[in-house]
Each structure stands twice: as C-alpha cells, then as structure tokens.
Amino acid sequence: MTVPSSPMTANAPVPNVTAPAGSLTWRRLRQNKALLVGGGILLLIILVAIFAPWIAPHDPYFQDLAYRTAPPVWYEKGTWLHPLGTDQLGRDYLSRLFYGARISLLIGISVAVISGLIGTALGMAAGYFGGRVDMFVSFLVTTRLSMPVILVALATVAIVGGSLWVVILVLGFLKWDRFAVVMRSATQQVRSLEYVAAAQSAGASTWRIVRGEVLPNVVPHLIVIATLEAASAILLEAALSFLGLGVQPPLPSWGLMISEAKAYMFFSFWLIAIPGSALAMLIFAINLAGDGLHQWLTPEDKA
C-alpha cells in the first residue's frame, strides 16, 4: 500500500545544496575589491598602452618649439590642442604619456618573466632536492643579496651603455632572489604532502612530479612575487632613467619624462606631476591587483 503524497510535498522544489562553481567563483570575484579596483586600473593602463597609436592625439616625437611648456587645459592659457600641455621641446605630453605606458609595462613584464624563470627554477630545485643543491642555491642567493641592485645596475649600465633592452636584461638578471627564496619555501611545504609521495610511489618521474604536482600548488605564491617584482622593476627603471642611465631619449619613458622636467619643476610643475602620478597609479594598480589575485586563488588563507 502506497501513501499518496500531498500536493505541497509533490510540487516542492528540491533545495540546491551545492551552488554552481561558476556562480561561486563570480561571487568571490565580486567580493574581492582589491582585484576589481587594481585589475580595473591595470586593465585601463594596458588598453591605453595597446591602443596608443590610435588614441594619441599627436606624434609623441614631433617637436614644436613654438608651443614649448604649454600648460594643460585646466590652466588659463591651456588649449584642447594639447590637453596635458607640452614639454620643453614642444612635444605633446598626453601622447608621450600614452606611449610611456608601453615602455613601463614592457619593462615590468619582461623583468618579471626573466627573473621569474631564473628564480623559480633555482628555488624549486633547492626545495625539491635539498641537500647540496639547496646549499648551492642558498649560496647563490646570499651572494646576490650581498650586492645592492641599484648600485650594480648603475655600474653595469654605465659600463655597457643605457638602452631599453640593457635595462631589461640587467634588472632581469638581478631580481631573481625573491623568487628563489619564496619558491624554495613553498616547494618544501608541497614536497612533504601525501599526493607527492603517492606520485613518487607510483613511479612518476621527477619532471612529472615537479610539473604536475608541485608547480600548480605554488603558482599563487609565484603570482604575488611576480607582481611585486614587476612594480619594483618599473620603479628601478624610472630611477635609472631619472639619473640618465636608463631608457635614452627620445623614448617617452615616464622616468625620463620626470628627469627632463626637473629643471622646470618650479615653473611648470605639471611636467613632473603628470608622469609621476601615472607612475604611482601603475605601481598601485599592480600591487593591488596582485594582492587581490592571491586572495582569489587561495581563499582558504582568508580567516
């Protein structure tokens, strides 16, 4: 004998115990204000850098001495022909600002990739194998930390000569130590976990274990270090360019723009304030986006 179910019981919707993975990910993303704000600003700067040839109102290298140090449009003598004014050679400042974003992003990404490859390889090798390999990598890290980055970069660039790619290579080969230290510690933690031991018991090769088991679990740490090093590389390039040993004229580097305007800082303050503000905004966006991305990839760290 079967008991008939009531209409309310028969038509009651089955509760959704588990939310879809897509909606859960989207909800976590919306709650991550650091990633939304930092990523939004960074995305805007990247779009400006990509589309600079189409959105720049003038050629960033064209000189018009009749319009030297023209003020921005919000000043009394400003004009919409040059919304952010012109520099000491009459070059449009807005156009040079757009093209300068390309150089800063290129340097930050390139240095992070070069130093990341070197540091990650050394750090993971030291953390996974230990022993003499760990001692050798620790010796390399200690040797590298004994040399100040800015002094070594200044000496190297002064000897070799300043250019965009020299700055990228010098900084890339000098800023791998933080990657190595963090990747060594993270790899040591992952190496002792059960699934790594299971892969070793199953006869998986060392390369297979490192690539398939260890590396995916240290990526969140790698992302944070990459963002920090990219922002640091952009600041170091600006410092080298300010001292005349970085990117050389007429490239529109933000650091070089500040250096060229230092003689006019008491008379045309915007020549320093505009590229300085853009540089600070880019560093802020990279650091904020990196912190938010780490929180999004490792939600269990948020207590």
Side-chain angles (χ1 to χ4, degrees):
M1 180 177 179
T2 59
V3 180
S5 59
S6 63
M8 293 182 61
T9 305
N11 298 328
V14 178
N16 187 11
V17 179
T18 58
S23 62
L24 181 61
T25 302
W26 176 245
R27 186 170 68 249
R28 284 173 46 207
L29 181 62
R30 285 186 302 174
Q31 295 173 351
N32 196 328
K33 303 301 182 183
L35 181 57
L36 291 177
V37 175
I41 298 174
L42 184 59
L43 178 61
L44 178 61
I45 297 175
I46 292 174
L47 292 177
V48 166
I50 294 175
F51 295 103
W54 294 274
I55 63 177
H58 300 278
D59 184 350
Y61 304 104
F62 178 73
Q63 302 179 11
D64 188 356
L65 298 181
Y67 284 93
R68 291 190 306 168
T69 61
V73 69
W74 57 83
Y75 281 79
E76 182 179 355
K77 295 183 179 180
T79 172
W80 283 104
L81 180 63
H82 301 288
L84 293 184
T86 59
D87 63 4
Q88 70 280 2
L89 295 177
R91 296 172 295 192
D92 183 69
Y93 228 47
L94 180 61
S95 302
R96 292 183 66 79
L97 196 72
F98 286 168
Y99 277 83
R102 287 185 154 195
I103 295 178
S104 294
L105 289 173
L106 174 62
I107 290 174
I109 294 173
S110 301
V111 171
V113 169
I114 295 173
S115 58
L117 290 175
I118 298 173
T120 301
L122 292 175
M124 293 186 67
Y128 186 82
F129 294 106
R132 293 183 177 180
V133 177
D134 189 12
M135 293 176 59
F136 177 71
V137 173
S138 299
F139 171 76
L140 292 179
V141 172
T142 304
T143 305
R144 158 59 199 89
L145 291 175
S146 66
M147 301 182 296
V149 175
I150 187 65
L151 294 181
V152 176
L154 281 172
T156 305
V157 173
I159 295 173
V160 178
S163 69
L164 176 61
W165 291 107
V166 169
V167 171
I168 290 176
L169 291 176
V170 168
L171 295 180
F173 285 111
L174 284 175
K175 295 191 64 61
W176 53 266
D177 53 284
R178 189 176 297 177
F179 284 97
V181 172
V182 175
M183 289 299 102
R184 172 184 175 274
S185 176
T187 303
Q188 286 178 336
Q189 296 176 6
V190 174
R191 184 188 61 178
S192 60
L193 298 179
E194 295 180 354
Y195 57 83
V196 175
Q200 293 173 342
S201 301
S205 64
T206 301
W207 170 248
R208 168 67 179 82
I209 296 174
V210 171
R211 179 178 58 86
E213 306 295 341
V214 179
L215 183 59
N217 290 279
V218 299
V219 165
H221 304 282
L222 182 61
I223 290 175
V224 176
I225 301 303
T227 56
L228 292 175
E229 293 302 321
S232 176
I234 293 172
L235 282 178
L236 284 174
E237 179 275 327
L240 291 173
S241 298
F242 182 81
L243 296 174
L245 296 175
V247 176
Q248 298 299 306
L251 289 178
S253 164
W254 289 346
L256 185 59
M257 291 169 67
I258 297 174
S259 176
E260 293 174 341
K262 63 179 180 290
Y264 302 87
M265 62 182 300
F266 296 110
F267 310 100
S268 303
F269 175 70
W270 66 87
L271 293 177
I272 288 181
I274 291 175
S277 300
L279 188 63
M281 185 63 68
L282 177 58
I283 302 302
F284 170 77
I286 292 176
N287 287 326
L288 194 62
D291 183 61
L293 190 59
H294 178 261
Q295 294 178 10
W296 185 54
L297 291 175
T298 56
E300 66 275 4
D301 292 343
K302 298 168 63 178

